[in-house]
Structures are given as C-alpha cells and as structure tokens.
C-alpha cells in the first residue's frame, strides 16, 4: 500500500492508502506503486485515479507531484470529484479563453490563456466522459 495525499490551497482534498495511483503529469500519465523510486514532476490537468478505478478519480489542475517509496503528495491548484465540477462555469472559461487567445499580444499572455484553456477543456472532458457523479 502507498499513502496518497492531494493538497490544494484550500487544504487536504484526499488522503488514503491505495495499491496504485495514476497521475497526469507534464510527461504523460504515470502509475505509482509502493516502493516507487523518488520522483518530483509537474502535474497537469487530468484525472488522478486509484487502483484502476477511473470512475472514482479526482480531477486536478496544475501543480506538482512528489513521490517517495511510501507516499505520494500531489500539490494541485484545484481538486474536484467529477460531480463537483461546475460545467457552466467551465464552458464560460473555455469560451472566454478561446476569444482572449485570438487577441493575445505577448508570449506570456498566450501561455497563461493556453493554461486556462487546457484546464477548462480537461475538466469538461472528464465530466463528459464520466458524467455527473
């Protein structure tokens, strides 16, 4: 068993011992089991799920992942169960980001708007894929 914690600025969103955890990272999805090698990587928007059960996963946004042989700490800007995702708000964020991207002037603006777009797109895809729990 490996302990997994998901922490957001609002506090501890998830804490449990599991057999396996899958995590969306900047390099792609990784699977972590007990006694995994030490790893620190960037978190990207997607679904963190446990023991192969995607339907019970937690949607996360940007952050960091710290893996040790006996613990995984996921520091995320946001974390939601699928049922907690506000579809209307995310559609609005997505549409607004698309419009803003068309008029962005600097590379920094493009990067920031692209992050917002990816975040909203991924949350909407998760709701579409797994429905409202």
């Amino acid at each position: 068993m490996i302990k997994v914690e998901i922490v957001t600025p609002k506090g501890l969103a998830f804490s449990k011992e599991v057999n396996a955890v899958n995590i969306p990272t900047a390099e792609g999805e990784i699977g972590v089991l007990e006694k995994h090698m030490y790893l620190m990587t960037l978190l990207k928007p997607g679904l963190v799920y446990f023991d192969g059960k995607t339907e019970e996963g937690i949607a996360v946004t940007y952050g960091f992942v710290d893996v040790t042989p006996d613990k995984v700490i996921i520091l995320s800007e946001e974390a939601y169960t699928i049922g907690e995702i506000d579809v209307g708000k995310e559609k609005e964020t997505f549409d607004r980001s698309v419009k803003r991207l068309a008029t962005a002037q600097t590379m920094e603006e493009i990067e920031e708007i692209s992050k917002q777009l990816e975040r909203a797109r991924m949350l909407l895809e998760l709701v579409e894929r797994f429905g409202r729990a």
Side-chain angles (χ1 to χ4, degrees):
M1 300 287 274
I2 188 164
K3 182 154 179 94
V4 178
E5 291 182 350
I6 299 176
V7 182
T8 71
K10 294 181 180 180
L12 189 63
F14 178 89
S15 180
K16 188 175 178 183
E17 286 199 0
V18 298
N19 292 310
V21 58
N22 289 70
I23 307 163
T25 73
E27 294 82 32
E29 183 176 302
I30 61 168
V32 178
L33 303 170
E34 185 178 27
K35 298 185 180 168
H36 194 282
M37 66 180 197
Y38 289 89
L39 172 70
M40 184 170 271
T41 189
L42 294 173
L43 182 68
K44 74 170 197 171
L47 188 69
V48 174
Y49 60 96
F50 316 95
D51 300 328
K53 298 176 184 171
T54 55
E55 66 280 358
E56 297 174 14
I58 296 179
V60 294
T61 58
Y62 292 98
F64 298 92
V65 179
D66 183 23
V67 177
T68 66
D70 58 351
K71 190 173 187 178
V72 176
I73 299 174
I74 300 169
L75 302 172
S76 180
E77 292 175 356
E78 302 167 274
Y80 307 99
T81 62
I82 301 302
E84 293 174 325
I85 297 170
D86 184 337
V87 175
K89 178 182 163 224
E90 297 310 327
K91 283 182 180 176
E92 185 179 304
T93 299
F94 182 86
D95 292 341
R96 186 176 56 245
S97 297
V98 168
K99 290 175 187 168
R100 287 183 59 218
L101 194 57
T103 61
Q105 300 290 318
T106 66
M107 199 62 184
E108 290 81 14
E109 272 185 293
I110 292 169
E111 288 173 7
E112 183 59 33
I113 296 167
S114 295
K115 279 180 67 173
Q116 291 171 1
L117 192 61
E118 179 183 24
R119 178 198 157 280
R121 180 187 54 76
M122 181 53 65
L123 291 175
L124 289 169
E125 282 181 14
L126 290 173
V127 170
E128 185 176 312
R129 183 172 171 198
F130 297 105
R132 310 277 298 169

